[in-house]
Amino acid sequence: MCRFLPIIQPMSERKVRVRFAPSPTGALHIGGVRTALYNYLFARQHGGQMIFRIEDTDSNRFVPGAEEYILESFKWLGIPFDEGVSFGGDHGPYRQSERKAIYKKYVEQLLEADKAYIAFDTPEELDAKRAEISNFQYDASTRTMMRNSLTLPKEEVDALIAAGNQYVVRIKIEPNENVVVNDLIRGEVIINSTVLDDKVLYKSADELPTYHLANIVDDHLMEVSHVIRGEEWLPSAPLHVLLYRAFGWEDTMPAFAHLPLLLKPEGNGKLSKRDGDRLGFPVFPLQWKDPKTGEISSGYREAGYLPEAVLNFLALLGWNPGNDQEVMSLDEMVKLFDLKRCSKSGAKFDYKKGIWFNHIYIQQKSNEAIAELFLPVLKEHGVEAPFDKVVTVVGLMKDRINFVRELWDAAGFFFVAPTSYDEKTAKKRWKEDSGVCMTALAEFLNGLEDFSPQNQETAVMAWIAENGYHTGNIMNAFRLALVGEGKGPHMFDISSIIGKEETIARLKRAVEVLK
Ligand code: GLU
């Protein structure tokens, strides 16, 4: 008979499970989108799962609509989660406010193991201490002076609780110990525990844990293998390591990776919403309306970015594939991504590069797909055109634009006749004899059977030669008549697309107006 021995899996072979765990405090910052993207790339590459968890234990900062906004953002971006709020899964509930009972149990566990203690100090008492002791911090050096379960007899603690006094539970941090955070991007980060304070883990007032406790308990219960998050969370990491230890979960502690900050496009410091307002780029994936102030902030979607371009742009803010390849599909990024190639130093938010990516992705998309996106813009201008025509115009014009809506300025003349003629161009290009010549050209074109660009070109060139006209003068006036100014693609592409009838009508109108 064959018997199986249980195999203890070494850390490196642990099933990859990552999480994106935003707090629903408003619109999702673009840095958060990058964090989620890196989690996604990492999970996909390792055949793992990505969890969507809502960290809403701080009810004061809860903003209605934020959760829906975040979900919609990832839907637009094309980043799916495997598990979590709105996705389901067997590690739920995934909203921390729905996990109260779970946390309570773990708070008890820490108290029983003497890794945490109960503290009754009121805000006033704490303020008084802060006034008395400069740089006061609740820790091993001060906790003996405070009102807590370490200084009060057990009966008194029980009596205070029974009488309904509010309290908090604090972690008991032992001083003078080097805490090592092994970060996959930063290497070993060592902090002496003496600098850490006895952070609050739980508040009786709302029976809710703080971020630190809920975050660790959930990462443990949800079997998270890697915590990939923004640099702003690095200062919390030593406390988190100590919490894993206090629970006795060292063996399954996730690996950490703290991503570099996103920096201002120019100057020093963290990218802020104000930089976006000042320089004219969004810092949120979707437009956001603040439910309190009504203030509207622009979003990448509404500004006309393609989601693929946003993802490609963000992927390279803090990571590179090791060569100078810049344009990568999501699938390619999944293959190439490597936490080891993430930088420690901040990444400048070069929003112009984002615009460049949008241009590139517009070129990569089919003319049909871009035409679909252009239809609503046409509609805004009261234009309804046959889809085939829109597709043809897009094909001819998309290399000139960075955003789909720019197609209107670049190519609107394909759909509506000019209502006026650019003065400067008219002065320069509408000559003495232009009226006569354009009337003759209209007549000539009217007689053409085949209105294809090639045939028009051959015929018109021959007609010009025969009549001894000046090619430049004819073509310039022709363009002015059809476009209203001196811009646009090849002349006979324009006339062919707008058609014989419309071409002739525009010629006649120009002759009339410009005489
Ligand atoms: N709730 C935290 C946030 O809003 C999550 C931090 C973490 O990933 O540990 O970003």
Side-chain angles (χ1 to χ4, degrees):
M1 202 180 122
C2 147
R3 299 190 57 187
F4 292 99
L5 290 174
I7 296 167
I8 298 170
Q9 273 196 352
M11 258 305 265
S12 59
E13 282 173 32
R14 231 177 131 186
K15 180 115 186 75
V16 166
R17 284 173 61 81
V18 297
R19 83 304 193 267
F20 181 63
S23 299
T25 55
L28 175 64
H29 193 272
I30 200 73
V33 177
R34 185 199 55 176
T35 299
L37 171 63
Y38 284 15
N39 274 283
Y40 172 81
L41 298 177
F42 186 78
R44 278 288 164 281
Q45 185 176 71
H46 293 91
Q49 281 123 18
M50 176 161 72
I51 303 162
F52 180 64
R53 184 170 76 218
I54 286 289
E55 303 210 323
D56 56 349
T57 55
D58 188 349
S59 51
N60 295 323
R61 296 184 59 219
F62 178 83
V63 173
E67 181 185 303
E68 293 76 5
Y69 173 94
I70 297 169
L71 281 165
E72 200 187 329
S73 299
F74 289 112
K75 212 161 146 198
W76 176 65
L77 288 160
I79 300 232
F81 291 85
D82 302 293
E83 246 181 81
V85 173
S86 87
F87 300 97
D90 51 12
H91 292 69
Y94 293 94
R95 223 180 255 115
Q96 290 187 329
S97 57
E98 291 164 19
R99 297 170 65 81
K100 271 187 179 183
I102 299 174
Y103 305 124
K104 188 115 197 228
K105 194 177 106 199
Y106 288 98
V107 172
E108 296 298 335
Q109 184 184 323
L110 289 182
L111 285 170
E112 261 156 45
D114 199 26
K115 306 282 187 193
Y117 59 93
I118 292 172
F120 294 101
D121 318 275
T122 61
E124 294 74 33
E125 286 167 339
L126 288 168
D127 282 344
K129 266 285 176 269
R130 281 188 201 108
E132 184 190 321
I133 304 172
S134 63
N135 296 324
F136 171 81
Q137 160 168 298
Y138 212 119
D139 61 17
S141 72
T142 57
R143 62 171 84 113
T144 49
M145 305 183 252
M146 310 301 288
R147 282 201 315 128
N148 55 49
S149 59
L150 302 172
T151 58
L152 302 170
K154 178 155 187 338
E155 304 75 58
E156 196 177 336
V157 170
D158 292 344
L160 281 168
I161 294 174
N165 286 282
Q166 298 300 357
Y167 62 90
V168 298
V169 174
R170 290 179 179 272
I171 185 169
K172 190 173 158 198
I173 291 187
E174 304 299 346
N176 279 320
E177 200 190 317
N178 281 334
V179 186
V180 182
V181 180
N182 271 311
D183 189 291
L184 294 172
I185 296 172
R186 280 146 219 278
E188 263 190 4
V189 180
I190 304 174
I191 291 280
N192 192 283
S193 63
T194 307
V195 304
L196 303 175
D197 65 326
D198 291 353
K199 276 263 173 334
V200 172
L201 302 177
Y202 176 87
K203 299 181 272 39
S204 68
D206 52 11
E207 297 186 287
L208 274 171
T210 57
Y211 154 73
H212 302 290
L213 184 99
N215 189 269
I216 270 45
V217 167
D218 285 353
D219 282 349
H220 174 71
L221 294 178
M222 295 177 187
E223 298 178 83
V224 168
S225 64
H226 294 77
V227 167
I228 303 169
R229 61 183 173 188
E231 178 176 272
E232 62 274 28
W233 301 100
L234 185 58
S236 304
L239 169 68
H240 293 183
V241 169
L242 289 175
L243 269 169
Y244 281 105
R245 226 190 276 169
F247 279 118
W249 297 335
E250 297 97 319
D251 290 350
T252 54
M253 184 164 79
F256 289 104
H258 290 91
L259 305 174
L261 278 180
L262 293 185
L263 304 175
K264 294 181 183 306
E266 50 199 39
N268 298 319
K270 235 168 81 173
L271 172 72
S272 73
K273 183 166 138 34
R274 249 182 295 139
D275 299 314
D277 293 343
R278 187 167 50 88
L279 298 165
F281 63 88
V283 298
F284 300 131
L286 315 180
Q287 182 174 294
W288 168 255
K289 183 173 177 190
D290 189 300
K292 262 211 207 101
T293 62
E295 190 202 343
I296 291 184
S297 307
S298 65
Y300 277 84
R301 179 177 66 182
E302 291 74 9
Y305 285 82
L306 299 172
E308 300 91 328
V310 175
L311 292 179
N312 197 156
F313 165 53
L314 288 179
L316 291 172
L317 291 174
W319 168 77
N320 70 76
N323 54 32
D324 47 20
Q325 183 180 0
E326 291 189 302
V327 180
M328 284 169 268
S329 68
L330 198 54
D331 285 343
E332 275 178 283
M333 287 190 253
V334 166
K335 285 198 196 95
L336 295 168
F337 186 71
D338 186 353
L339 281 172
K340 285 196 204 76
R341 297 208 64 88
C342 287
S343 65
K344 289 197 241 300
S345 51
K348 258 198 193 321
F349 195 81
D350 181 2
Y351 67 97
K352 291 192 181 138
K353 193 83 200 194
I355 297 174
W356 178 80
F357 271 111
N358 212 50
H359 172 82
I360 296 292
Y361 276 87
I362 286 176
Q363 311 319 308
Q364 288 197 353
K365 264 201 185 301
S366 71
N367 296 339
E368 285 75 12
I370 300 299
E372 286 290 352
L373 298 173
F374 187 34
L375 286 181
V377 180
L378 286 172
K379 203 162 177 199
E380 268 171 43
H381 288 91
V383 171
E384 261 182 68
F387 191 64
D388 283 1
K389 177 177 175 182
V390 181
V391 172
T392 308
V393 170
V394 164
L396 209 53
M397 303 300 282
K398 71 177 183 179
D399 62 342
R400 300 169 183 229
I401 54 151
N402 296 324
F403 295 98
V404 172
R405 64 171 51 256
E406 289 172 359
L407 273 173
W408 177 255
D409 269 345
F413 60 82
F414 280 103
F415 305 96
V416 290
T419 49
S420 63
Y421 302 90
D422 179 61
E423 221 173 286
K424 252 196 177 154
T425 317
K427 222 178 209 159
K428 208 163 120 205
R429 305 200 151 164
W430 194 265
K431 309 276 184 208
E432 196 81 350
D433 61 348
S434 289
V436 177
C437 294
M438 290 304 110
T439 307
L441 177 60
E443 240 162 75
F444 177 72
L445 291 174
N446 196 26
L448 271 190
E449 272 303 309
D450 176 356
F451 215 64
S452 70
Q454 301 76 14
N455 190 59
Q456 277 189 72
E457 176 152 16
T458 320
V460 171
M461 288 308 146
W463 172 80
I464 289 175
E466 234 167 71
N467 291 283
Y469 293 135
H470 182 271
T471 312
N473 287 354
I474 295 290
M475 296 310 286
N476 286 341
F478 190 23
R479 182 175 297 277
L480 182 65
L482 262 54
V483 179
E485 46 187 312
K487 67 175 189 186
H490 189 57
M491 232 6 258
F492 297 107
D493 281 333
I494 302 177
S495 52
S496 160
I497 289 171
I498 67 176
K500 192 201 268 190
E501 210 178 302
E502 176 69 10
T503 298
I504 291 169
R506 288 192 194 185
L507 281 169
K508 287 188 172 159
R509 182 149 190 282
V511 170
E512 193 113 312
V513 176
L514 292 168
K515 66 182 168 215

